[in-house]
Amino acid sequence: MVYSLTYRRPPHVDHRTPSLASEKTGQSVGGSTLGGCQDSPVSIGIPEALSFDRIIDGGTCPPCTTRDFMNYLIYIEHAAENLQFFLWFKDYAKRFHLLPENERKLAPEWTTEQVEAQALAMKDTSAPMKTISPDTAAVFKGTDFSNPKITVVESGKGNPFNTPPLTPNSGERESIAPSEYPWSDSGSTLPGPFKAHHDKKAAGAFDAADVKLQPFTVQPFREEISRVIAIYIADGAPRQLNLSSKERAALLHALAVTTHPTAFRQIIHTVEWALRHQAHPNFIRWTICNGNRPRVIFARGLGIAGIVGGTLAAILIVLSNAGRGWRVLSAIGFMIGVATLVAAWKGMCVVLHGMHHRHLRPWELFAEDDDASSALEMKKDSFDSLGSSNSYEDQPWVAKYEKRNIIRKIFDREVWIQEPALRQIQDTIFLQAVLGSVIITAVCVGIFVALPKGNYY
């Protein structure tokens, strides 16, 4: 079974900051906030079986699972923080709503009216306030140059807006204190030094956003929120999200008031938009390729060689005194060459496709050779929502794969493709390549058959 012969792969989506002003806001926080991906033009080429929600909910097989999606974002796009934050928020919203009602009331919902009021307040205070000295103010007093909005700074005192606030240590901000509620199923918490580091970084983020109100320590999951701020929100965080300064400030103002999931309303819209409309289509497009880059380039070379061979064979037969029927033999080279080239141009190797195989990814290739504990640690870190940065340059497989010679890369180990929807997409592309080669071959052979004999030999 194949899809329509007019099927096209998902187009590659360039990474850019999404504009939420042009997007419809979601219906709820904690569920699918932006609606299905099928309503978007970038969903072209993505069947329902490989939709974003299906992958996140674990309804797909390798190589289209959530694990594969995470690996793609880490090793190919280098932007796994969006998915890691999205998975954390999805679990956080679920855990929050499972709390007893009396505990949930400690963290009130952050309403849309509060969001709009906060945005308006930030807009009013976005322009820097002008300051002048008392002597200058006395000169301009009573003239047209006098401005009541200008602030007069007393002489001998520095301008408080010119001096960045110091980042308080953990002892200066008692409001960011450990919560009595655990942030994981095991109830584990970070060791003292790590916790103090996260508290200090979160406190610095609040001060940088000019948040005067101290967070309420009695609210549930306050300690976890501090870690999230230190890992995803603060400037220089190990998994810093791509947020504008206004979005970051608005989020920190909301988190200073409540730990309710609705405080992340605008941010989760931004993150989910990027996942659904950028990362997910690019992931499906990349997964369709069944061979690594050296293998695909090698297949393209074989395709070009087949076309050149068919052309040379046709020319030699035309220049001879052989009958016109012999010129049809050149169709073999054209047929194989065009089909191989068209499939390889879409990232597929026809040999691998014949067995429904794919090459192992470089990080999968050495998983069996590496120590089992280190491989398990690598998988655990990528899905640890409150873990460290997503750097992988020091992982053992990187150096090993770079030392691998080009021949071994072309003929690397293979594995069977388990996902049926992906096999159907590849079957469709292969059928398109075969039909295209039949048409092109018929035209080329027809031209050579129509030429008169050369009778040179």
Side-chain angles (χ1 to χ4, degrees), residues 81-92:
E81 59 275 359
N82 282 336
L83 180 58
Q84 290 165 337
F85 181 81
F86 179 80
L87 294 176
W88 167 83
F89 177 79
K90 190 176 180 181
D91 177 69
Y92 177 77

Side-chain angles (χ1 to χ4, degrees), residues 59 81-82 92 105 108 127 151 165 170 174 217 262 271 275 289 291 311 333 355-356 367 372 382 388 423 435:
E81 59 275 359
N82 282 336
Y92 177 77
K105 288 182 177 179
T151 301
S170 58
E174 298 296 335
T217 58
T262 52
V271 169
L275 288 173
C289 304
T311 304
M355 301 177 288
H356 278 143
S382 61
S388 58
R423 295 200 302 267
L435 292 178

Side-chain angles (χ1 to χ4, degrees), residues 418-432:
Q418 301 180 33
E419 175 55 46
L422 182 60
R423 295 200 302 267
Q424 291 180 10
I425 292 177
Q426 294 176 341
D427 290 340
T428 304
I429 294 176
F430 177 74
L431 183 58
Q432 291 173 340

Side-chain angles (χ1 to χ4, degrees), residues 10 15 48 83 131 141 149 160 177 185 202 207 225 227 242 259 268 274 282 329 383 394 407 422 442 454:
H15 286 274
E48 182 63 29
L83 180 58
T131 59
K141 186 176 181 180
K149 295 183 179 180
D185 294 336
D207 286 342
I225 292 298
R227 297 175 188 174
N242 185 19
T259 58
I268 200 63
N282 291 343
L329 292 177
F383 271 89
D394 57 345
I407 302 300
L422 182 60

Side-chain angles (χ1 to χ4, degrees), residues 130-133 135-152:
K130 297 180 180 180
T131 59
I132 60 176
S133 64
D135 297 336
T136 306
V139 172
F140 289 117
K141 186 176 181 180
T143 66
D144 295 337
F145 298 99
S146 178
N147 191 343
K149 295 183 179 180
I150 294 179
T151 301
V152 179

Side-chain angles (χ1 to χ4, degrees), residues 62-64 67-69 71-72 75-76 282-293 295-296 347 352 357-368 378 397 401 404 409 412-415 417 422 426:
C64 300
R67 164 67 59 189
D68 298 306
F69 193 16
N71 288 336
Y72 167 77
Y75 302 122
I76 305 300
N282 291 343
F283 169 65
I284 298 300
R285 179 185 175 90
W286 175 80
T287 307
I288 292 174
C289 304
N290 59 3
N292 55 26
R293 182 169 178 79
R295 180 62 169 260
V296 171
L352 292 175
H357 282 190
R358 68 172 178 89
H359 271 156
L360 288 173
R361 312 301 182 191
W363 50 89
E364 299 173 331
L365 201 58
F366 301 97
E368 299 177 359
M378 179 181 67
W397 67 265
Y401 192 74
R404 205 173 183 85
K409 289 181 179 179
D412 260 337
R413 284 183 289 177
E414 307 164 9
V415 66
I417 297 174
L422 182 60
Q426 294 176 341

